């Protein structure tokens, strides 16, 4: 019997996987602006046979006074689709996932860009759909305030319906290129969308060939009720922050049950947890590495980032006391706020302890130990069915990933849990996902998700 295989991705965010990672003596601190370093990491991930690299994004610079801004490593970043295009021609097999928001984009733009990139990469793209949780983004798009949480998800559902329909604008064999007759394409194989909805009016068709994968792999990262509903209806990869086996099992089972209720099999969606591995020759060395990273977190930036994740300003509160009993409702990242508050209550953390715990890995699980113990912990969750794999978030690059590649991956391979070689060429083939036929869109189910 074949052993199930983990799905593994790498967060390609050199200056922000750990908020202070850029300060490590061995970090490439300018990697956010040096394409050669980003490409080297992507090539290394491909050499390791990872399924994909993941490009996160926000559509604004951090806000705050000069002291805060001067300490924030995500003050700039490449536009992800531009970077993805460059990586597409410099890599051969690895999947390429880029974040794009449905709140500050239009479906035709997104559908056209991803269809083009899927063609240029020979079928290796994935779209991480987000609804934008940073309120400051609104002010860069002629809006005085951010859309309400529920409104953003309503827009996202219709956005996805339109994009999916646009990717089905052409049959795969529509372009006949008949030189003798002078007919370039078969008009019976062109499909006009003619969508009229609450948020969008889009005629179509898309003026790009159908994506090689049929449509990009659909990735989603929200874990709120609305996020889970959307994931169950359409997501093929779900990126989640989970810190306990029990919670991870509940989340994964819930998403897969929702997928089944939406008419999809439970195998149609891969649930991947974010993980930050800290590896040492001994447990003591690994713990020392972790302490070294945590000591690099400046209190100003730690409190600022915790405030952003919680949706209210914690810098005005006593540092050595716990969070207040009443937590304001947020219009931003609701699932992450819930995760952080639960951890604070469970472990009786002060605000100082909380920001140190949270901002290093952005609320994701930190696994500290030897290569053997880290591999065992990852294998345990996978074997239990709590996850289908992981998105790696090293504390800094390149060494943080290289240690995992050289020390942990061989152990996972010995267990038969990760591939030795790619068995296909497209991102869908890496994930074991079928290529959807034209017209197989789940638009009706997507539109009905509430």
């Amino acid at each position: 019997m074949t052993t199930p295989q983990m799905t593994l991705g790498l967060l390609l965010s050199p200056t922000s996987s750990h908020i202070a990672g850029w300060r490590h003596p061995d970090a490439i601190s300018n990697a956010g602006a040096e394409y050669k370093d980003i490409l080297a990491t992507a090539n290394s991930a491909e050499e390791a046979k990872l399924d994909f690299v993941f490009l996160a994004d926000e559509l604004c610079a951090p806000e705050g006074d000069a002291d805060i801004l001067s300490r924030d490593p995500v003050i700039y970043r490449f536009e992800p689709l531009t970077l993805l295009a460059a990586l597409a021609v410099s890599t051969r097999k690895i999947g390429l996932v880029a974040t794009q928001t449905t709140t500050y984009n239009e479906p035709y733009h997104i559908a056209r860009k991803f269809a083009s990139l899927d063609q240029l990469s020979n079928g290796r793209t994935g779209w991480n759909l987000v609804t934008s949780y940073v309120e400051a983004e609104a002010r860069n798009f002629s809006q005085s305030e951010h859309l309400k949480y529920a409104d953003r998800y309503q827009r996202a559902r219709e956005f996805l319906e339109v994009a999916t329909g646009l990717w089905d604008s052409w049959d795969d064999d529509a372009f006949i290129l008949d030189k003798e007759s002078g007919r370039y394409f078969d008009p019976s194989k062109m499909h006009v969308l003619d969508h009229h909805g609450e948020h969008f009016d889009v005629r179509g068709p898309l003026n790009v060939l159908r994506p090689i994968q049929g449509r990009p792999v659909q990735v989603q990262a929200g874990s709120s009720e609305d996020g889970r509903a959307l994931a169950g209806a359409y997501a093929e990869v779900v990126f989640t922050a989970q810190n306990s086996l029990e919670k991870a099992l509940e989340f994964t089972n819930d998403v897969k049950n929702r997928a089944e209720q939406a008419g999809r099999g439970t195998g149609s969606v891969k649930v991947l947890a974010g993980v930050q591995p800290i590896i040492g020759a001994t447990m003591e060395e690994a713990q020392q590495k972790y302490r070294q990273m945590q000591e690099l977190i400046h209190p100003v930036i730690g409190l600022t980032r915790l405030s952003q994740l919680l949706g209210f300003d914690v810098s005005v509160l006593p540092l050595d006391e716990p969070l207040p009993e009443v937590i304001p409702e947020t219009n931003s990242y609701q699932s992450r706020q819930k995760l952080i508050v639960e951890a604070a209550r469970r472990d009786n953390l002060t605000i100082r302890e909380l920001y140190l715990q949270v901002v290093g890995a952005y609320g994701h699980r930190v696994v500290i130990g030897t290569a053997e113990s880290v591999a065992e912990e990852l294998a345990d969750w996978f074997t239990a069915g709590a996850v289908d794999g992981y998105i790696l978030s090293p504390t800094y690059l390149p060494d943080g990933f290289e240690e995992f590649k050289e020390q942990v991956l061989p152990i996972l391979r010995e267990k038969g849990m990760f591939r030795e070689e790619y068995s296909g060429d497209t991102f869908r083939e890496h994930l074991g996902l079928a290529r959807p036929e034209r017209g197989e869109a789940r638009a009706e189910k997507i539109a009905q998700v509430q």
Side-chain angles (χ1 to χ4, degrees), residues 57 99-103 127-132 156 219 221 234:
D57 194 35
T99 296
Q100 291 291 288
T101 177
T102 57
T103 302
W127 171 25
N128 177 43
L129 182 157
V130 298
T131 63
S132 291
V219 184
Y234 93 92

Side-chain angles (χ1 to χ4, degrees), residues 16 63 66 149 168 216 220 249 270 295 330 383-384:
S16 60
E63 294 187 321
Y149 187 85
D168 280 349
Q220 195 263 347
L249 275 167
K270 304 281 188 182
E295 288 168 1
T330 179
T383 302

Side-chain angles (χ1 to χ4, degrees), residues 109-184:
H109 279 140
I110 293 299
R112 188 176 187 230
K113 291 173 183 177
F114 271 110
S116 299
L117 288 166
D118 205 64
Q119 290 285 339
L120 293 170
S121 66
N122 294 314
R124 294 188 287 127
T125 59
W127 171 25
N128 177 43
L129 182 157
V130 298
T131 63
S132 291
Y133 71 91
V134 181
E135 298 200 14
E137 291 186 17
R139 293 186 287 277
N140 288 334
F141 293 88
S142 305
Q143 304 294 320
S144 59
E145 61 182 26
H146 204 29
L147 282 176
K148 296 299 182 184
Y149 187 85
D151 294 337
R152 298 202 305 273
Y153 269 96
Q154 289 173 2
R155 178 184 168 94
R157 287 191 287 271
E158 188 180 340
F159 193 113
L160 182 62
E161 177 185 348
V162 175
T164 305
L166 288 170
W167 286 321
D168 280 349
S169 292
W170 302 94
D171 290 356
D172 292 320
D173 59 351
F175 291 84
I176 55 178
L177 308 181
D178 189 338
K179 293 183 179 181
E180 184 174 344
S181 69
R183 189 177 291 275
Y184 197 73

Side-chain angles (χ1 to χ4, degrees), residues 23 108 117 214 355 366 376 417:
R23 299 183 66 192
Y108 198 94
L117 288 166
Y355 83 67
V366 179
E376 199 64 41
M417 291 183 174

Side-chain angles (χ1 to χ4, degrees), residues 3-26:
T3 304
Q5 298 284 292
M6 280 185 188
T7 296
L8 290 178
L10 172 66
L11 185 63
L12 196 57
S13 185
T15 58
S16 60
S17 292
H18 184 289
I19 192 63
W22 68 277
R23 299 183 66 192
H24 191 281
D26 297 327

Side-chain angles (χ1 to χ4, degrees), residues 178-241:
D178 189 338
K179 293 183 179 181
E180 184 174 344
S181 69
R183 189 177 291 275
Y184 197 73
F185 69 93
D186 183 344
S188 70
K189 297 183 178 183
M190 179 185 77
H191 307 277
V192 175
L193 180 61
D194 200 25
H195 173 91
H196 304 284
E198 181 180 353
H199 298 279
F200 305 107
D201 281 279
V202 181
R203 182 179 185 276
L206 198 65
N207 60 343
V208 181
L209 289 173
R210 190 162 186 258
I212 288 175
Q213 296 184 103
R215 57 178 172 265
V217 172
Q218 299 297 292
V219 184
Q220 195 263 347
S223 297
S224 66
E225 178 59 29
D226 285 315
R228 294 184 188 210
L230 197 59
Y234 93 92
E236 294 164 309
V237 172
V238 175
F239 182 16
T240 182

